[in-house]
């Protein structure tokens, strides 16, 4: 059976999604739990990797395994998972379904608080800034990202990807008291793309980068024109749509 | 100078407030930071100890130290404190002020979610229950705690206290979606008292304990009549009033 799973995790204590030597990835923790209940190694395939420190309200992965009652899989797996990783659902899908290649849309949220002192209660999944930010200016800049563009300027080096064209379907910046939430939905994201885009909006909001430079970033693809890569801990993969 | 401090902390990674051998208490982390900025050991006195895993939106402590600009103390100290412990304010107080003996009121909040699966995003400072709880019944029971009573039945053994009489000024149970927040304000609390009171309300709400047993608990002082001690991680010291 080909089974699709939803999983929620706080990435603070992990070296990212991917299984790796010398560090614990979320993939390895889930594969170990699957081995506990099936008795053998089962490889899992995620919609995409998340970096060290990045979280997920709902990441998706699929795996080939046989299990009598699929509805009971989440509870069975959660018994072998730590508190910071929990399976949210499991359902059978078509044999050719792949969590990565079948994904149509992904939505990320970046959480950023403005203030003098970071609250310990925010420290796990909210980034902080001391700077006063211009909310309207950030939403205006966010609007310019919607559509199909060359996102080369918003991609960290070290990627093996060759096609930098991506489509952003929506991008909103909401403010609740001193918390900014950047919600971006697209057909796919490059390495560190969300964190660099948010960093660019923050630099625009602080007046460090002129808003009309965005067009130049798309045209030239120059990474150094864009803003800094924001801290991983503010980033959450919200959902994956198939 | 006698200085009063406010401090916010997530207690997850600490063995409680108190300095102790073989385990790290929050007191020790703050005293070490004070030593970094003053060059000598400074003992601090809290409004009360919090247990291992218990948090504080605002705990208070005082200390005798000389520092030129008291307003700058929080930022100076926070530079030497980890992300899960942050000083919220500092101000000079009278020489005979003591964070513990001068306290008039303390307010605690206990956070409890009802559901099948605990979200990883709640795992740090929210307790979980699978049971459906009767909200009205819990508020009715909470009302019976308001006033001056003998709280011997709501105190864990191992205390050196001899006077078990305490006054509760207010006790409310609010529900937001599936999150229950128990907010209790009193002139002082015994060892594990809030966690046992909340455990008693939960047992009443589940129908395990009859609501009219509360009077018997006050009269007899028998610990075994009251409910279980709830998990530490749901408890937060909200504020201390002087």
């Amino acid at each position: 059976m080909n089974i699709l799973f939803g999983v929620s995790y706080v990435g603070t204590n992990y070296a990212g999604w991917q299984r790796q030597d010398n560090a614990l990835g979320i993939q390895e923790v889930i594969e170990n739990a699957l081995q506990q209940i099936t008795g053998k190694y089962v490889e899992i395939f995620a919609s995409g990797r998340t970096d060290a420190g990045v979280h997920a309200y709902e990441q998706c992965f699929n795996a080939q395994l046989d299990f009598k009652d699929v509805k009971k899989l989440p509870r069975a797996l959660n018994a072998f998972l730590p508190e910071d990783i929990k399976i949210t659902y499991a359902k059978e899908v078509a044999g050719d379904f792949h969590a990565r290649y079948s994904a149509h849309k992904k939505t990320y949220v970046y959480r950023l608080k403005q203030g003098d002192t970071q609250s310990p209660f925010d420290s796990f999944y909210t980034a902080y800034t001391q700077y006063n930010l211009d909310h309207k200016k950030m939403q205006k800049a966010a609007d310019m990202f919607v559509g199909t563009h060359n996102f080369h300027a918003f991609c960290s080096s070290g990627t093996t990807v060759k096609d930098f064209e991506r489509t952003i379907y929506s991008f909103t910046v909401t403010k609740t008291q001193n918390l900014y939430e950047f919600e971006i939905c697209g057909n796919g994201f490059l390495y560190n793309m969300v964190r660099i885009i948010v960093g660019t909006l923050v630099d625009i909001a602080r007046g460090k980068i002129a808003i009309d430079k965005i067009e130049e970033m798309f045209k030239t693809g120059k990474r150094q024109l864009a803003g800094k890569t924001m801290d991983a801990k503010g980033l959450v993969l919200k959902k994956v749509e198939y």
Side-chain angles (χ1 to χ4, degrees), chain A:
Chain A
M1 291 163 80
N2 190 11
I3 299 173
L4 172 65
F5 296 83
V7 60
S8 182
Y9 51 83
V10 170
T12 313
N13 298 320
Y14 301 95
W17 173 267
Q18 199 178 15
R19 181 182 264 272
Q20 56 202 278
D21 296 335
N22 308 320
L24 189 63
I26 292 154
Q27 181 186 356
E28 183 175 343
V29 178
I30 297 171
E31 286 173 347
N32 287 350
L34 271 167
Q35 187 151 16
Q36 295 275 352
I37 61 165
T38 63
K40 57 186 175 187
Y41 173 69
V42 178
E43 188 175 0
I44 65 175
F45 303 93
S47 74
R49 301 168 190 169
T50 50
D51 285 334
V54 174
H55 323 288
Y57 292 140
E58 194 161 279
Q59 163 74 289
C60 294
F61 65 89
N62 71 300
Q64 302 285 341
L65 75 152
D66 293 314
F67 199 82
K68 271 185 189 170
D69 189 349
V70 175
K71 276 185 192 163
K72 289 187 176 164
L73 260 173
R75 182 171 279 224
L77 270 169
N78 285 335
F80 292 99
L81 286 170
E83 283 196 336
D84 50 11
I85 303 177
K86 290 293 169 201
I87 303 296
T88 53
Y89 71 83
K91 64 176 181 187
E92 197 177 352
V93 286
D96 63 349
F97 179 94
H98 189 289
R100 181 167 167 201
Y101 304 116
S102 308
H104 289 307
K105 282 185 189 179
K106 279 187 194 176
T107 304
Y108 279 93
V109 173
Y110 196 92
R111 294 163 49 89
L112 179 67
K113 262 201 184 170
Q114 194 281 327
D116 281 342
T117 310
Q118 175 159 23
S119 161
F121 290 86
D122 289 328
S123 64
F124 297 107
Y125 54 98
T126 307
Y128 246 71
T129 182
Q130 294 170 249
Y131 304 109
N132 284 313
L133 302 174
D134 182 335
H135 181 200
K136 278 189 185 166
K137 213 168 171 185
M138 288 201 288
Q139 184 58 62
K140 200 176 161 192
D143 293 342
M144 295 171 71
F145 283 87
V146 176
T148 303
H149 305 282
N150 167 19
F151 283 96
H152 193 282
F154 305 93
C155 177
S156 288
S157 56
T159 179
T160 53
V161 172
K162 278 167 190 163
D163 177 11
F164 296 92
E165 197 178 276
R166 295 290 182 277
T167 300
I168 300 300
Y169 301 117
S170 64
F171 189 7
T172 54
V173 186
T174 54
K175 189 186 177 194
T176 312
Q177 290 172 340
N178 61 335
L179 173 71
Y180 292 94
E181 287 191 284
F182 302 80
E183 183 163 327
I184 187 164
C185 172
N187 65 349
F189 292 90
L190 300 163
Y191 185 44
N192 284 345
M193 182 168 144
V194 180
R195 288 159 62 188
I196 298 170
I197 290 177
V198 174
T200 304
L201 259 61
V202 167
D203 280 349
I204 287 169
R206 283 177 60 195
K208 268 188 76 180
I209 295 179
I211 196 165
D212 54 19
K213 283 278 176 189
I214 294 174
E215 276 308 322
E216 198 180 331
M217 296 171 201
F218 288 142
K219 269 184 197 156
T220 63
K222 285 186 182 163
R223 171 69 187 90
Q224 64 268 34
L225 293 178
K228 67 163 190 163
T229 306
M230 297 291 283
D231 198 351
K233 72 176 180 183
L235 187 61
V236 188
L237 173 57
K238 186 179 178 184
K239 63 179 173 183
V240 185
E241 288 171 80
Y242 294 100

